[in-house]
Amino acid sequence: MSAVIEAVGVLVPARDEAAGIARCLRAVRVALAEAGLPSRVCVVADRCRDETAEIAAGYADVVVNETPLAMGELRNLGVARLPARGWVLSTDADTVVPPNWVVDHLRHARAGADAVAGMADLDDPTALGAETLGRYSRLLAVGTHAYAANLGVRADMLHRVGGFPAVASAEEHALLARLRAAGGRVVHATDVRVRTSARTRGRAQGGLADLLRGLGA
């Protein structure tokens, strides 16, 4: 029987995202308020050369990292600051979540999901060519991709499997594989959506920006 969800935690890795981190965190706070559970937000400021950490401190707990780490390791720094009994959400600093984001995740969690992989719409689809946008739209329609910008995991399961794997990229896929291997129920939810940057040059290797650039190749 799944553990009762007593709280919600949100982790946000960020590197040189001073321009957008406040907008991201304001949206997260609105979504957490809609859910009405105790909550904590942790931003992992990764080797930032701008004011990302200082801005984020007005909205969240901040962990400052100055060591080169794999993306999975960075997300685990945030996990360590979040409630151990509850639902852990992952998003990105260039992403804006809707007000119903947390509520939608919890609906699937309470129906028995151990992890929810939601979809990521683009904030400016016109920034891509028609062919690239079409390819990405077809990827969304299939609904089996996973995005670290829109991922939720039951905290007890996350800790049971040892957190995010220490991989340089695609840590969300590696985590879901680890959860499935441990008997966890993973739901790909096309009704749980966020809006994220359409940029094709991102901060993290192997992230959505690389995917979009690859689709345009």
Side-chain angles (χ1 to χ4, degrees):
M1 183 176 180
S2 298
V4 174
I5 295 174
E6 299 179 348
V8 179
V10 182
L11 65 96
V12 187
R15 187 176 188 190
D16 295 338
E17 295 283 4
I21 190 67
R23 182 177 63 162
C24 167
L25 295 175
R26 284 195 296 265
V28 166
R29 284 298 185 190
V30 169
L32 287 169
E34 289 288 324
L37 289 176
S39 63
R40 174 172 287 183
V41 182
C42 181
V43 172
V44 181
D46 179 34
R47 295 169 291 164
C48 293
R49 297 162 296 181
D50 63 9
E51 297 179 346
T52 296
E54 291 79 5
I55 296 170
Y59 302 88
D61 292 342
V62 177
V63 175
V64 175
N65 174 62
E66 299 293 354
T67 306
L69 294 175
M71 279 304 301
E73 294 174 302
L74 285 174
R75 293 195 190 271
N76 284 335
L77 290 180
V79 170
R81 297 292 188 95
L82 300 179
R85 288 179 57 85
W87 190 254
V88 173
L89 286 157
S90 168
T91 192
D92 288 334
D94 63 346
T95 300
V96 176
V97 305
N100 58 331
W101 182 56
V102 177
V103 170
D104 285 345
H105 267 272
L106 294 180
R107 173 166 42 82
H108 287 284
R110 287 163 177 155
D114 293 306
V116 174
M119 301 293 102
D121 297 308
L122 302 177
D123 62 355
D124 183 12
T126 62
L128 306 176
E131 189 172 352
T132 303
L133 179 59
R135 289 170 179 165
Y136 186 70
S137 297
R138 288 191 290 274
L139 182 66
L140 282 181
V142 172
T144 57
H145 196 65
Y147 302 86
N150 190 6
L151 185 68
V153 185
R154 198 175 296 274
D156 61 328
M157 280 295 294
L158 182 59
H159 290 288
R160 188 183 309 169
V161 301
F164 283 87
V167 294
S169 62
E171 69 279 7
E172 64 273 58
H173 295 278
L175 173 63
L176 294 180
R178 184 178 279 187
L179 289 167
R180 289 189 182 99
R185 182 188 172 204
V186 176
V187 173
H188 287 269
T190 58
D191 61 335
V192 182
R193 309 184 84 91
V194 300
R195 191 164 297 277
T196 196
S197 173
R199 65 191 181 192
T200 56
R201 297 289 174 182
R203 307 287 191 264
Q205 179 183 0
L208 178 58
D210 284 357
L211 171 64
L212 295 176
R213 191 167 66 252
L215 290 175

